[in-house]
């Protein structure tokens, strides 16, 4: 048995110790699951869940990053098949050189294929294309009894397929998957940018426009008439004619971008009301008031934060919390109320992202629902943060909304149970796949999911 290793989520809060193994084959995954002790086992990918979803205190964590191999592109069927440990960024680069893209890309490329399914990740096009699980054509799930189960969205065990999509790794270990792909003619996006004066203007513009991709960064420290001002970007995949002449000869080629590294530590209090306010003002006024048709490389548009290695260290040794919720259309007053309260409290958030959400997948624990999703990062050590979030939880729940489990590390079980009314149905399917209750995580224990 290995020595216990401290693990955290991307937010670097609430570390717990677990024995970690790093299987390279499916057979080794099965062996590891068979050796799980009374504290259970859990698959983990690249550790980009923000809270405690990829931790299992006292248990066995299967680090699945080595479950990789060459992807198989089937251009005729419009699919790609890859091992579950494949990072989406690497898979996307492989596809792009061949003129294809994944239909959904989350905000970072450092998510494994298995992790993308387990969290049913979404992107800037959810209002058009739903979440990642909607494009999974099949997957192979290894359950703790050692069975390899081929699953499809409408096959014999479709209930287990959908329990796995968004199931936070608690139904089994995804070992491989086949996902739909889309053809593109360039490696660039054609991006329109608008500064919006307040939250109402942002929502109005996002409601009227029908861009394939859209996302708005919000300044949650702005006050008065500027409450909720932001920078809205909308985009389509660029055609060769959209590119400067110098790029048209080889439109699928991308030059490598330099990657910066965040400092190994940050002084306490670096992120405060004033530094975040100054950053937000510079971010807002530095953006063009209105710009049309700017070509941007795909990685820059989809994964801007990936350009800074270890950016999560900027929040200091206490880490940070990302709070993400969705509320239905018609509950815009909840968005406005939360933005106003954050502004009044002077909470130092420089990363707040608003998206328009569309149709969900049938996954009982999948997060996205039609409406508005707002995600924000805040320092974990901020005084009064727990009470602030508890109050937000009540508003989101009352509006018929929910929190994103892949981001959560602090919600109460009863609140999440009320937000996810299909949890009992998910648990029934899950218990059939893992009757001994081998698979468990810190998140699952805290929220009493299993």
């Amino acid at each position: 048995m290995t020595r216990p290793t401290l693990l955290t989520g991307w937010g670097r809060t609430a570390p717990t110790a677990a024995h970690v193994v790093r299987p390279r084959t499916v057979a080794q995954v099965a062996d590891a699951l068979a050796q799980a002790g009374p504290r259970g086992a859990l698959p983990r990918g690249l550790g980009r869940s923000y809270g405690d979803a990829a931790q299992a205190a006292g248990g066995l964590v299967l680090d699945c990053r080595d479950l990789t191999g060459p992807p198989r592109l089937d251009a005729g069927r419009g699919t790609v098949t890859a091992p579950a440990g494949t990072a989406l960024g690497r898979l996307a680069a492989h596809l792009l050189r061949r003129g294809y893209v994944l239909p959904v890309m989350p905000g970072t490329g450092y998510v494994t294929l298995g992790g993308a399914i387990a969290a049913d990740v979404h992107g800037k096009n959810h209002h058009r294309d739903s979440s990642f699980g909607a494009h999974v054509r099949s997957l192979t799930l290894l359950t703790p009894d050692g069975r390899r189960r081929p699953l499809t969205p409408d096959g014999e065990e479709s209930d287990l397929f959908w329990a796995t999509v968004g199931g936070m790794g608690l139904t089994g270990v995804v070992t491989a998957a086949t996902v739909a792909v889309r053809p593109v003619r360039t490696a660039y996006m054609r991006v329109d940018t608008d500064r919006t004066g307040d939250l109402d203007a942002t929502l109005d513009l996002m409601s009227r426009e029908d861009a394939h991709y859209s996302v708005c960064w919000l300044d949650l420290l702005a006050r008065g008439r500027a409450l909720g001002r932001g920078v809205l970007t909308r985009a389509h995949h660029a055609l060769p004619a959209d590119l400067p002449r110098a790029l048209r000869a080889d439109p699928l080629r991308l030059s490598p971008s330099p990657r910066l590294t965040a400092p190994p530590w940050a002084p306490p209090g670096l992120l405060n009301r004033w530094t975040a306010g100054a950053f937000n003002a510079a971010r807002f006024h530095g953006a063009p008031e209105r710009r049309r048709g700017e070509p941007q490389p795909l990685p820059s548009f989809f994964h801007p934060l990936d350009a800074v290695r270890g950016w999560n260290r900027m929040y200091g040794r206490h880490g940070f919390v990302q709070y993400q919720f969705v509320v239905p259309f018609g509950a815009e007053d909840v968005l406005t109320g939360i933005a106003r309260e954050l502004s009044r409290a002077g909470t130092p958030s420089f990363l707040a992202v608003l998206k328009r959400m569309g149709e969900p997948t049938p996954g009982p624990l999948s997060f996205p629902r039609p409406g508005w999703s707002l995600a924000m990062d805040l320092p974990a050590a901020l005084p009064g943060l727990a009470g602030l979030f508890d109050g937000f939880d009540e508003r989101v729940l009352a509006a018929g909304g929910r929190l994103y489990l892949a981001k959560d590390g602090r919600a109460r079980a009863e609140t999440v149970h009320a937000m996810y009314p299909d949890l009992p149905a998910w648990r029934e399917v899950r218990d059939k796949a893992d009757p001994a209750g081998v698979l468990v995580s810190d998140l699952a224990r805290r929220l009493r999911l299993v």
Side-chain angles (χ1 to χ4, degrees):
M1 182 63 78
T2 61
R3 296 178 60 185
T5 301
L6 274 182
L7 298 173
T8 71
W10 188 241
R12 302 173 69 232
T13 60
T16 58
H19 297 281
V20 179
V21 295
R22 196 158 174 167
R24 294 178 177 273
T25 66
V26 176
Q28 290 176 356
V29 173
D31 288 344
L33 287 176
Q35 295 171 15
R39 293 290 293 176
L42 182 74
R44 176 183 171 105
L46 285 159
R48 290 301 178 112
S49 294
Y50 282 64
D52 51 1
Q55 301 169 216
L60 181 67
V61 169
L62 283 66
D63 182 336
C64 294
R65 286 178 290 175
D66 287 341
L67 291 178
T68 58
R72 299 194 310 274
L73 173 65
D74 186 333
R77 295 178 182 272
T79 61
V80 65
T81 301
T86 307
L88 289 195
R90 287 182 177 272
L91 182 57
H94 175 88
L95 293 171
L96 192 55
R97 289 193 292 272
R98 292 156 178 79
Y100 292 90
V101 294
L102 292 167
V104 171
M105 286 298 290
T108 174
Y110 293 101
V111 177
T112 62
L113 179 57
I117 294 170
D120 198 12
V121 297
H122 57 274
K124 299 177 175 69
N125 57 335
H126 191 275
H127 61 290
R128 292 277 294 263
D129 297 321
S130 190
S131 51
F132 196 86
H135 306 276
V136 177
R137 297 294 175 257
S138 65
L139 62 85
T140 302
L141 187 73
L142 182 68
T143 44
D145 59 4
R147 289 179 59 191
R148 301 184 191 189
R149 302 172 188 241
L151 304 175
T152 60
D154 50 7
E156 187 175 343
E157 290 189 289
S158 60
D159 56 349
L160 184 54
F161 175 94
W162 289 114
T164 300
V165 172
M168 305 308 295
L170 298 170
T171 61
V173 181
V174 177
T175 59
T178 297
V179 184
V181 295
R182 289 179 176 162
V184 291
R185 296 179 60 189
T186 79
Y188 291 81
M189 305 299 291
R190 190 183 74 240
V191 181
D192 296 340
T193 302
D194 289 275
R195 286 197 327 228
T196 58
D198 56 32
L199 187 55
D200 288 341
T202 301
L203 296 175
D204 180 59
L205 200 52
M206 292 181 79
S207 298
R208 288 190 285 114
E209 292 288 343
D210 197 27
H212 201 135
Y213 302 88
S214 71
V215 63
C216 188
W217 167 83
L218 295 182
D219 179 1
L220 290 179
L221 285 170
R223 296 186 174 190
R225 291 184 177 180
L227 179 74
R229 68 182 180 183
V231 179
L232 173 63
T233 52
R234 292 158 291 166
H236 296 271
H237 288 282
L239 299 174
D242 298 321
L243 303 182
R245 188 177 300 275
L247 297 176
R248 294 178 192 169
D250 193 2
L252 290 173
R253 182 178 182 276
L254 280 179
S255 299
S257 299
R259 197 168 178 221
L260 306 175
T261 299
W265 62 277
L270 173 65
L271 285 177
N272 55 50
R273 166 74 178 85
W274 293 273
T275 57
F279 173 89
N280 286 2
R283 171 81 174 84
F284 179 78
H285 293 290
E289 188 171 352
R290 186 178 188 276
R291 181 170 61 195
R292 295 291 178 267
E294 179 197 16
Q296 286 186 11
L298 262 72
S300 300
F301 178 77
F302 287 110
H303 309 135
L305 285 175
D306 285 354
V308 182
R309 185 184 288 109
W311 64 264
N312 58 335
R313 295 196 297 264
M314 297 297 290
Y315 286 90
R317 63 188 176 92
H318 295 295
F320 71 102
V321 177
Q322 184 169 97
Y323 186 84
Q324 182 170 4
F325 65 91
V326 61
V327 290
F329 295 122
E332 288 78 9
D333 59 319
V334 176
L335 277 177
T336 303
I338 288 177
R340 182 175 293 113
E341 193 155 340
L342 288 166
S343 173
R344 186 184 301 123
T347 51
S349 174
F350 72 88
L351 185 65
V353 174
L354 179 69
K355 294 175 185 168
R356 186 158 60 108
M357 311 296 278
E359 292 303 310
T361 65
L365 294 192
S366 179
F367 162 72
R369 289 292 181 273
W372 301 103
S373 170
L374 178 61
M376 68 198 80
D377 291 355
L378 290 169
L382 198 66
L385 192 63
L388 194 68
F389 282 160
D390 286 346
F392 293 169
D393 289 352
E394 293 177 6
R395 297 185 194 187
V396 171
L397 176 60
R402 57 176 51 177
L403 304 176
Y404 191 9
L405 297 181
K407 305 293 181 68
D408 181 61
R410 35 68 52 191
R412 297 175 181 174
E414 55 271 26
T415 303
V416 170
H417 291 193
M419 291 176 170
Y420 286 83
D422 292 331
L423 174 61
W426 173 84
R427 195 180 282 143
E428 191 173 322
V429 176
R430 187 261 180 199
D431 289 349
K432 289 180 182 175
D434 180 19
V438 171
L439 294 163
V440 67
S441 64
D442 290 355
L443 175 133
R445 288 193 173 100
R446 175 172 54 83
L447 296 180
R448 302 198 298 273
L449 299 180
V450 296

